[in-house]
Amino acid sequence: MCKRLFILILLTTITSATVMGQKSQEMDNSVESLLARMTLEEKIGQLALRNGWTYNYDIDENVKKGNVGAILNETNPERIAQLQKMAVEDSRLGIPLMFARDVIHGYKTIFPIPLAMACSFDEVLVEKAARVSAMEAASIGLNWTYSPMVDVCRDPRWGRIAEGFGEDTWLTSVLGAAMVRGYQGDDLSKPGSIAACVKHYAAYGAAEGGRDYNTVTVPENELRDVFLPPFKACTDAGSATIMTAFNEINGIPATGNEFLLKTILLGEWNYPGFVVSDWASVEQLVVHGYSENRKEAARASLSAGCHMEMATTCYDEELKSLLSENGISIEMIDDAVRRILKIKKDLGLFENPYKKTDPELVLSDDHKQLAKEAAIKSCVLLKNSNQTLPISKTIKTVAVIGPLADAPHEQLGTWIFDGNKKDAVSSLAALQEWATQNKVELIYERALKNSRDLSVDFSEAVEAAGKADLVLCFLGEESILSGESHSRADINLPGSQHQLLEELNKTGKPIAAIIQAGRPITLEPVLDYCDAILYAWHGGSMAGPAITDLLTGKVAPSGKLPVSFPRHVGQIPIHYNHKRGGKPATEQSFVHMNDIPEEAAQLSVGNTSHYLDYGYKPLYTFGYGLSYSTFEYSKLELHESKIGKEQSITLQFELKNTGTVDAVEIAQCYIQDLFGSRTRPVKELKDFKRVHLKAGESKIIRMEIPASRLAFHNQRMEQVVEAGTFKVYVGGNANAQMTAEFEIITK
Ligand code: BGC
């Protein structure tokens, strides 16, 4: 390189580094100088998140006065721009607004519900889907979404299980962080990047009895080991904001919970973003019976570390007098304002308050294609006797039956404020296209109006089944049966869907059931009526074409369950990573109540931990899912037999596609800490890989797991990796049988 060129490059590098240094200093300074110029009213204004639908409040007037920090649920792009203009041009300091919306699994292009997306075990896909959601949401000027939800949940009665990634802490952490990256991109200020809001901090998914908003009681070590890591993963991934939960934890509502907010999030984790309450959850401190009045609720929430109040006006009305009475300090208000301004800066709103993407990209073919890929990867094949699926080429007549075959609204799932059924392709529509192309006769009978319909005249459906070589029965739950405040105590198929299957089964025709639902349904009562079961969840806009590709064998199913499927609701909570207990049940120790002799002596059937009627196992365990192919795991080797606490264990194994079709297998590695100073779960997912294998192909798969991933909180609440023996399980679900052991040593 010539000397002059070298000097030029050097100078340019130095100059740009200096400029960057100056810029970041300027940014900080401008937050500080802004803060210095703000009146108390303007500061309190920044802490207000107003609902765009509020009619008894003059939003325009308040925006102009600088009394509003952010607005949610305004989706008219002209109105968004108008409000932003008022904030930027008419308010004294010109501080831009944030515009928020619940874009949970897509804006207009709707992806499968998060629980379904978790079946893909595919963080790249999940990140891309979040990116698409952000790009679409940003097309009307939105710059903040209330997602991802990373509430680990072990109770499928809870309606909001649909919104999270299931029962596993590690999987939830990986996918939650991927979503944050997708929404925020590599630079929040770019058009198409929006602020993420990880929620609901914390342990909201542990509501007693699976009833939404209910009390949560979780010991601190379990809170730290099971429920908090996904939040940590998302804040580490840079989530600009975090939302408190509605529930109380161990007697203290999350929104006023100093331990959760001040001690852990803002203290231990040193979180730099801002905390927003959930809808009216500041005011609800009074309803909880924790704060005596709204003023006390405002004091408790702000002091705990909740920076912005959603929907209600306790901060607005009470902070000023609280300050004058020394109930709170100005430092608390300043800290909250500083954090909010910083995120607005990061979003680039001071430079580009009207930042938007091109509306043309909404519902683009590429976006729909990604939604289809996501829906394909979300479906889990639970049962497939006699190779009922894929539909054989010899089949001439197919009966499509059931209330959810042609229900484009229902397939979208919960939280689709902006999705529209007219943009969704149903299974019936997609199957009809396939049938025409392949000269297959298709007969359609809805049989039931909807999933809750209680009618029992199935004569037309039975007649249709009688004429067909194969019955495809589309059952499940409408989208309104899951989601916020939509918990169920009975999670069987609702309405008379059970009876429908029973009647269809009497025809003797092979039946493949396609279940679309927002939660695991207890399928045991209908298991014998179906030859095959494809669990399709609520798969979003492109669920129909995705399901059709799977049913017809264009692609093999690859999804695996992110949550255990109980046999009966009475088994809940049932999750794979439970503790061993002192009297664990085994195959031999379990005696079903019908097999107990009359007047048996109390101890004659053994004392182990099981139910007399439903045993101790789920119907389908975590990680389970079939394919049209089969896989063989072999040759597990650990590269090390002993590792130090700072090191990693490397394992490898051979994975072979032993079937006749190309397919993807999600290989899973679980680890059990055999003995601990506190009892440890029987196993925990520690790594996974999606592996594509051609028919007959085998690959050597390697996984490297740092010892730090095996840490837990001991009795002194220290996060520790303990020395001792660890057992590795590798396989295609949580019942993985291939094992090896290694030791962690104290160096
Ligand atoms: C939900 C949140 C949501 C918020 C704003 C609340 O009812 O719990 O998840 O983000 O509303 O719509």
Side-chain angles (χ1 to χ4, degrees):
M1 196 188 319
C2 81
K3 206 169 151 196
R4 213 185 284 165
L5 183 62
F6 174 75
I7 292 173
L8 191 67
I9 292 175
L10 191 70
L11 275 178
T12 319
T13 319
I14 293 171
T15 323
S16 64
T18 321
V19 169
M20 276 174 66
Q22 275 167 0
K23 202 173 166 207
S24 68
Q25 227 185 346
E26 256 169 42
M27 298 234 308
D28 271 4
N29 285 345
S30 66
V31 167
E32 289 310 319
S33 71
L34 212 45
L35 196 62
R37 282 181 284 141
M38 287 171 89
T39 62
L40 180 59
E41 286 75 14
E42 284 165 339
K43 288 179 180 176
I44 294 173
Q46 284 304 305
L47 317 188
L49 167 58
R50 293 277 176 256
N51 177 22
W53 311 321
T54 309
Y55 300 111
N56 57 356
Y57 173 86
D58 190 340
I59 290 206
D60 295 16
E61 211 33 51
N62 280 290
V63 167
K64 288 181 194 163
K65 281 192 193 148
N67 286 347
V68 181
I71 291 180
L72 87 144
N73 291 331
E74 180 53 71
T75 51
N76 175 343
E78 284 82 43
R79 177 78 178 132
I80 290 181
Q82 187 189 41
L83 285 161
Q84 192 68 301
K85 190 160 182 284
M86 289 176 204
V88 173
E89 294 182 12
D90 301 340
S91 77
R92 197 176 69 90
L93 293 170
I95 301 173
L97 295 163
M98 285 172 77
F99 289 95
R101 184 72 163 166
D102 288 282
V103 179
I104 307 298
H105 52 111
Y107 174 64
K108 293 276 183 198
T109 304
I110 302 297
F111 290 90
I113 53 170
L115 186 61
M117 294 270 278
C119 301
S120 70
F121 284 65
D122 188 341
E123 59 186 299
V124 177
L125 171 81
V126 168
E127 182 175 335
K128 281 190 198 160
R131 189 79 210 138
V132 163
S133 307
M135 296 289 287
E136 291 199 356
S139 71
I140 59 162
L142 295 172
N143 48 40
W144 189 18
T145 181
Y146 298 139
S147 172
M149 186 189 100
V150 294
D151 296 312
V152 168
C153 177
R154 297 157 163 186
D155 194 332
R157 291 172 298 183
W158 192 47
R160 301 197 83 167
I161 195 171
E163 292 175 55
F165 298 117
E167 76 187 28
D168 186 68
T169 301
W170 172 249
L171 182 63
T172 303
S173 304
V174 171
L175 299 182
M179 263 190 141
V180 170
R181 292 196 300 272
Y183 290 132
Q184 301 196 162
D186 53 7
D187 179 352
L188 255 187
S189 69
K190 282 191 185 154
S193 291
I194 63 176
C197 183
V198 56
K199 68 188 189 185
H200 305 84
Y201 188 70
Y204 182 36
E208 237 173 54
R211 189 154 51 82
D212 203 8
Y213 315 130
N214 209 4
T215 308
V216 170
T217 311
V218 182
E220 186 182 335
N221 69 300
E222 195 174 317
L223 182 70
R224 288 180 180 273
D225 288 341
V226 176
F227 296 98
L228 295 189
F231 288 93
K232 180 75 168 61
C234 290
T235 54
D236 284 351
S239 183
T241 68
I242 184 167
M243 188 187 292
T244 62
F246 282 129
N247 54 284
E248 68 156 72
I249 303 180
N250 307 332
I252 318 286
T255 303
N257 198 312
E258 273 206 27
F259 174 64
L260 277 180
L261 297 172
K262 206 168 168 176
T263 307
I264 299 183
L265 179 73
L266 305 170
E268 291 174 27
W269 301 355
N270 200 14
Y271 178 60
F274 75 81
V275 180
V276 61
S277 79
D278 200 346
W279 186 284
S281 70
V282 170
E283 192 176 83
Q284 284 162 13
L285 258 55
V286 180
V287 189
H288 275 285
Y290 180 71
S291 299
E292 219 176 326
N293 49 42
R294 298 172 83 241
K295 188 173 193 173
E296 186 42 34
R299 191 206 56 76
S301 305
L302 188 75
S303 323
C306 176
H307 306 121
M308 188 183 262
E309 179 183 8
M310 187 193 296
T312 43
T313 50
C314 304
Y315 283 11
D316 204 22
E317 287 154 31
E318 308 292 352
L319 291 188
K320 205 169 170 184
S321 54
L322 275 167
L323 184 65
S324 65
E325 294 155 15
N326 292 328
I328 54 165
S329 65
I330 189 67
E331 286 74 27
M332 287 178 189
I333 296 184
D334 283 354
D335 177 48
V337 176
R338 195 177 277 121
R339 287 167 182 272
I340 292 163
L341 293 180
K342 161 85 168 53
I343 298 301
K344 291 183 176 182
K345 282 269 169 208
D346 291 351
L347 278 165
L349 294 179
F350 285 88
E351 293 77 34
N352 186 4
Y354 307 100
K355 153 179 136 157
K356 258 188 182 182
T357 50
D358 181 359
E360 283 292 302
L361 55 78
V362 173
L363 285 163
S364 71
D365 287 348
D366 283 355
H367 292 185
K368 288 188 196 159
Q369 198 47 44
L370 190 70
K372 181 177 171 190
E373 181 190 334
I376 287 176
K377 290 178 171 176
S378 296
C379 290
V380 186
L381 184 64
L382 295 178
K383 177 177 178 180
N384 197 16
S385 314
N386 313 318
Q387 293 184 316
T388 304
L389 293 176
I391 302 174
S392 147
K393 298 260 180 291
T394 60
I395 287 201
K396 293 277 163 280
T397 310
V398 171
V400 173
I401 294 174
L404 296 182
D406 190 22
H409 173 78
E410 309 309 340
Q411 74 190 44
L412 297 182
T414 186
W415 280 116
I416 43 109
F417 280 173
D418 303 288
N420 195 319
K421 66 175 178 182
K422 75 171 176 27
D423 302 318
V425 186
S426 76
S427 296
L428 181 66
L431 279 164
Q432 265 159 347
E433 200 181 320
W434 163 82
T436 313
Q437 279 164 10
N438 292 276
K439 303 196 171 46
V440 171
E441 188 188 351
L442 192 146
I443 318 169
Y444 170 59
E445 276 300 333
R446 194 173 183 102
L448 292 165
K449 201 155 95 342
N450 56 45
S451 68
R452 289 164 288 164
D453 187 349
L454 290 165
S455 15
V456 284
D457 176 6
F458 301 126
S459 47
E460 284 166 1
V462 167
E463 195 185 320
K467 290 184 196 151
D469 307 316
L470 172 70
V471 177
L472 299 176
C473 200
F474 287 80
L475 305 172
E477 284 179 328
E478 295 149 77
S479 56
I480 196 65
L481 299 188
S482 58
E484 183 173 349
S485 80
H486 290 75
S487 298
R488 295 180 60 203
D490 170 353
I491 55 169
N492 278 337
L493 281 173
S496 44
Q497 296 182 87
H498 177 133
Q499 290 91 319
L500 170 62
L501 266 178
E502 192 174 2
E503 289 308 309
L504 293 175
N505 177 56
K506 287 183 190 156
T507 64
K509 297 297 170 85
I511 299 176
I514 297 88
I515 313 286
Q516 296 176 84
R519 61 161 62 73
I521 296 283
T522 32
L523 293 171
E524 187 158 291
V526 296
L527 210 54
D528 291 343
Y529 302 147
C530 319
D531 299 279
I533 301 176
L534 183 71
Y535 213 85
W537 311 96
H538 291 139
S541 312
M542 296 298 282
I547 291 171
T548 301
D549 278 7
L550 291 165
L551 294 176
T552 56
K554 195 164 170 199
V555 216
S558 60
K560 301 272 190 172
L561 296 178
V563 59
S564 307
F565 272 47
R567 296 176 56 203
H568 186 274
V569 73
Q571 291 177 296
I572 297 169
I574 186 163
H575 50 102
Y576 85 93
N577 45 2
H578 56 84
K579 298 289 189 71
R580 193 165 29 193
K583 289 173 178 282
T586 61
E587 214 66 75
Q588 296 73 35
S589 69
F590 167 60
V591 183
H592 190 276
M593 60 197 265
N594 296 348
D595 300 325
I596 300 177
E598 264 180 48
E599 298 192 4
Q602 181 172 337
L603 304 183
S604 64
V605 288
N607 287 356
T608 63
S609 181
H610 63 255
Y611 295 105
L612 286 180
D613 42 5
Y614 281 92
Y616 60 101
K617 292 182 189 166
L619 182 61
Y620 299 112
T621 190
F622 177 89
Y624 172 84
L626 303 170
S627 169
Y628 295 149
S629 203
T630 45
F631 302 95
E632 191 181 275
Y633 288 79
S634 64
K635 301 183 194 155
L636 173 62
E637 281 172 31
L638 303 187
H639 288 199
E640 304 84 13
S641 60
K642 290 184 175 51
I643 57 167
K645 293 181 182 176
E646 313 291 319
Q647 293 174 317
S648 296
I649 182 82
T650 308
L651 53 107
Q652 72 172 56
F653 53 92
E654 189 174 307
L655 181 59
K656 182 167 189 195
N657 179 342
T658 46
T660 53
V661 293
D662 300 353
V664 168
E665 166 71 342
I666 298 165
Q668 301 154 44
C669 171
Y670 299 83
I671 298 187
Q672 177 185 21
D673 184 350
L674 290 180
F675 299 95
S677 62
R678 192 188 268 283
T679 60
R680 307 293 303 125
V682 291
K683 62 181 69 144
E684 292 173 296
L685 183 71
K686 291 298 170 190
D687 208 358
F688 54 84
K689 273 207 163 74
R690 286 182 63 89
V691 186
H692 187 273
L693 291 164
K694 297 213 165 67
E697 189 186 8
S698 50
K699 280 185 186 161
I700 300 293
I701 310 300
R702 272 169 70 117
M703 291 177 177
E704 195 180 316
I705 300 166
S708 57
R709 209 175 283 172
L710 306 171
F712 68 98
H713 287 84
N714 66 14
Q715 294 178 47
R716 287 186 301 279
M717 234 30 87
E718 299 151 339
Q719 196 177 23
V720 289
V721 179
E722 286 187 346
T725 309
F726 290 75
K727 190 165 177 178
V728 175
Y729 299 78
V730 171
N733 60 58
N735 290 331
Q737 294 300 321
M738 195 164 65
T739 63
E741 287 186 4
F742 69 97
E743 251 181 78
I744 292 188
I745 50 170
T746 321
K747 276 201 298 192

